[in-house]
Amino acid sequence: MRGIRIYPFGWAVLVSAAFIVGPVPRAFAADVAPPAAESPTVESTPLQSGPFRAGFPIGAWMVYPSIYLGAVFDDNVRQSANDIEHTSGLGVRVAPDLIATYDGGIHQTTLYGVVDARFFPGVGTRLPGEADANSVAATAGFRHGYQPLLDLGVSIYGDYTRQTDIFNSALNFNNSAIGPTPSSSPAPIILNPFGTSPSVNPVAYNQFSGGAAGTKTIGQGFITLGGDVAHIAWDHTNSPFQIAEDGTLYRVTGRFGYNVTPQFYVFAEPSGIFQHINNSTTVDTSGYRVVGGIGSIDPNSLFRGEIWGGYQFQHEDLTTNLNIPGLNGGNTHDGVFGGSLYYYPTRYWTVMALAQESLGVTLLGSATAPVGAPTRTFTSILQTTYHLSRVWSVGARAGYTRAQYIGTPRLDNGWMAGASFNYEIWRNLLATLDYQHTSNHSNVVLSSFDDNRYSAGVTYQY
């Protein structure tokens, strides 16, 4: 878990917030990704025997399953530090994906699940302090919308995620970090609520989150009230120098906006934010964030999204009498900003981006930054997918995290870059190639690493 101060950064695309993501008036995390029906990538159009439409009905539901099976080569399977010997390996990669949708008029529901499992049977037993070579990342959950009146809507969502950091997410594979691709579902994105970033000898965690929101439209104005909660539970650490503590984050938010034109709206969004480290050995936090911005959800426009900025304040309440370097208590405050973009230049080309800055505390401690140290974190993800023809498609993705432990000299910069390629062998069978580079550059010794992952196999869509 890291934190960061943002300096002028050359991304032209900024993004929306972690828990309360998604344009107004349909606020909060349940509507970050565009619906499957709006994506030109959900439908496949092979040459062999007429148009193929993915999915099949079960009663009033539509179900869209797919599975990838192939080989993977990783030149640093344990994400070992650059200054020590790496372990490379050839293994098997399996990535099943399922989405189910229900449209009942005033009720709309989406269920989703995706797993990215990588197994390296030829890699030996890990040494003390090393991470396991095998990895299983997963995301599953639901979102439900209820709109009894044209001017009143309610949404709820629940999400489970298992990963080691945001760049290890199961949604990253085959270029689906943000939105739907030929083999993935439009799962809602909760952008890094605990501020994790790539690390040496990573520790896996299970993250549970959920929330609800209600939106009322009044003339050209709208009001959204809601709340979210997220809990993180870590696996065992890989080294005695790593300390991981479970934690829970609570957020209560209001959003007040006005539709200036049919294309654009403006909004103000105050939030109360509370974080609790479960065993209370170090620090709990309480605070608030106030942001404002401008956005668009015009269905006739080529782009949708919003950009926001504001101020966040956090009070750290020490719960220990020990003198721990890096834990001083007191207050942390700074400006924060973010944004989101969904851009559709043509029906065959999509560009999507998310980014945010936030304050928090670290739950994965090290010798240079203890659990509870205040953090400033910036997280961003960019994705684009392009269909070259009816049978060829390519995609690219990139990510960046900048993490600063406030009160310590540590500064980490995490990077992710990847690309995917899909060729339709048959009506619902794709040849899939995927590459991803992940790295962390830190000013702390033995905390930087580079990892390259190459995958080749087939994707079957039903």
Side-chain angles (χ1 to χ4, degrees):
M1 242 179 322
R2 326 276 191 267
I4 71 177
R5 172 176 295 276
I6 300 305
Y7 298 96
F9 188 67
W11 282 54
V13 181
L14 299 176
V15 191
S16 159
F19 279 110
I20 302 158
V21 221
V24 178
R26 301 177 66 183
F28 298 90
D31 293 303
V32 176
E38 296 177 8
S39 171
T41 62
V42 171
E43 179 179 344
S44 176
T45 54
L47 296 173
Q48 286 82 353
S49 57
F52 166 71
R53 295 186 66 89
F56 60 90
I58 299 181
W61 290 76
M62 281 298 297
V63 182
Y64 304 91
S66 71
I67 186 169
Y68 166 88
L69 177 63
V72 57
F73 175 79
D74 194 319
D75 68 1
N76 188 4
V77 294
R78 305 188 194 278
Q79 286 187 196
S80 300
N82 287 337
D83 299 325
I84 64 177
E85 183 179 357
H86 294 179
T87 300
S88 61
L90 179 66
V92 177
R93 190 170 196 173
V94 183
D97 194 335
L98 177 69
I99 179 172
T101 62
Y102 170 80
D103 188 348
I106 62 174
H107 290 277
Q108 294 188 341
T109 305
T110 299
L111 308 177
Y112 58 89
V114 57
V115 176
D116 181 10
R118 301 184 299 275
F119 303 103
F120 299 91
V123 174
T125 305
R126 65 188 181 99
L127 299 175
E130 291 185 328
D132 193 354
N134 300 326
S135 173
V136 178
T139 294
F142 75 93
R143 61 188 184 192
H144 178 76
Y146 171 58
Q147 190 166 11
L149 302 171
L150 290 177
D151 60 354
L152 179 64
V154 178
S155 63
I156 61 174
Y157 78 94
D159 182 88
Y160 164 77
T161 296
R162 179 174 175 79
Q163 59 192 31
T164 58
D165 61 72
I166 190 172
F167 297 153
N168 176 250
S169 168
L171 293 172
N172 276 336
F173 176 64
N174 202 13
N175 206 53
S176 57
I178 299 175
T181 66
S183 63
S184 74
S185 63
I189 299 297
I190 302 172
L191 189 61
N192 209 15
F194 293 97
T196 61
S197 64
S199 64
V200 169
N201 300 322
V203 181
Y205 59 84
N206 298 298
Q207 180 179 291
F208 307 86
S209 57
T215 298
K216 171 67 175 176
T217 301
I218 306 172
Q220 296 301 312
F222 53 84
I223 299 173
T224 299
L225 301 176
D228 300 82
V229 59
H231 175 76
I232 189 170
W234 299 87
D235 288 1
H236 62 82
T237 58
N238 302 310
S239 165
F241 300 105
Q242 291 177 318
I243 299 175
E245 300 287 2
D246 300 346
T248 307
L249 186 66
Y250 307 89
R251 184 190 299 261
V252 180
T253 299
R255 177 175 277 209
F256 309 91
Y258 184 81
N259 294 297
V260 181
T261 71
Q263 293 76 34
F264 295 97
Y265 62 86
V266 295
F267 68 93
E269 186 179 276
S271 304
I273 305 169
F274 311 91
Q275 185 161 336
H276 172 66
I277 298 178
N278 285 16
N279 65 9
S280 295
T281 58
T282 50
V283 61
D284 292 335
T285 72
S286 59
Y288 63 87
R289 190 186 74 170
V290 180
V291 301
I294 184 172
S296 173
I297 52 171
D298 180 10
N300 299 315
S301 175
L302 295 178
F303 74 91
R304 305 178 195 177
E306 64 183 29
I307 184 170
W308 53 263
Y311 174 82
Q312 184 173 348
F313 171 88
Q314 174 178 282
H315 173 70
E316 291 100 29
D317 181 20
L318 292 180
T319 58
T320 178
N321 295 321
L322 299 176
N323 183 16
I324 302 176
L327 288 184
N328 302 315
N331 302 322
T332 303
H333 55 89
D334 201 1
V336 292
F337 71 93
S340 63
L341 176 70
Y342 298 95
Y343 178 48
Y344 312 93
T346 74
R347 62 173 298 192
Y348 303 107
W349 184 20
T350 60
V351 180
M352 307 179 188
L354 300 174
Q356 73 169 49
E357 182 189 29
S358 61
L359 301 178
V361 295
T362 178
L363 299 182
L364 181 61
S366 64
T368 56
V371 170
T375 61
R376 187 179 291 112
T377 308
F378 178 73
T379 305
S380 57
I381 299 178
L382 171 69
Q383 169 190 319
T384 182
T385 304
Y386 183 71
H387 284 251
L388 298 170
S389 72
R390 297 172 66 188
V391 295
W392 303 79
S393 66
V394 296
R397 59 188 181 270
Y400 172 73
T401 62
R402 181 181 172 89
Q404 179 186 0
Y405 295 95
I406 300 171
T408 79
R410 180 163 186 165
L411 178 65
D412 289 1
N413 290 277
W415 300 89
M416 181 270 288
S420 64
F421 168 85
N422 285 279
Y423 173 72
E424 231 172 73
I425 301 172
W426 189 244
R427 303 179 66 244
N428 53 353
L429 186 66
L430 309 176
T432 300
L433 304 177
D434 191 85
Y435 166 77
Q436 180 165 312
H437 171 81
T438 307
S439 66
N440 183 55
H441 300 160
S442 175
N443 60 357
V444 174
V445 65
L446 296 179
S447 297
S448 299
F449 77 90
D450 290 277
D451 179 31
N452 295 283
R453 188 178 302 139
Y454 309 83
S455 300
V458 293
T459 300
Y460 175 78
Q461 297 174 295
Y462 189 87

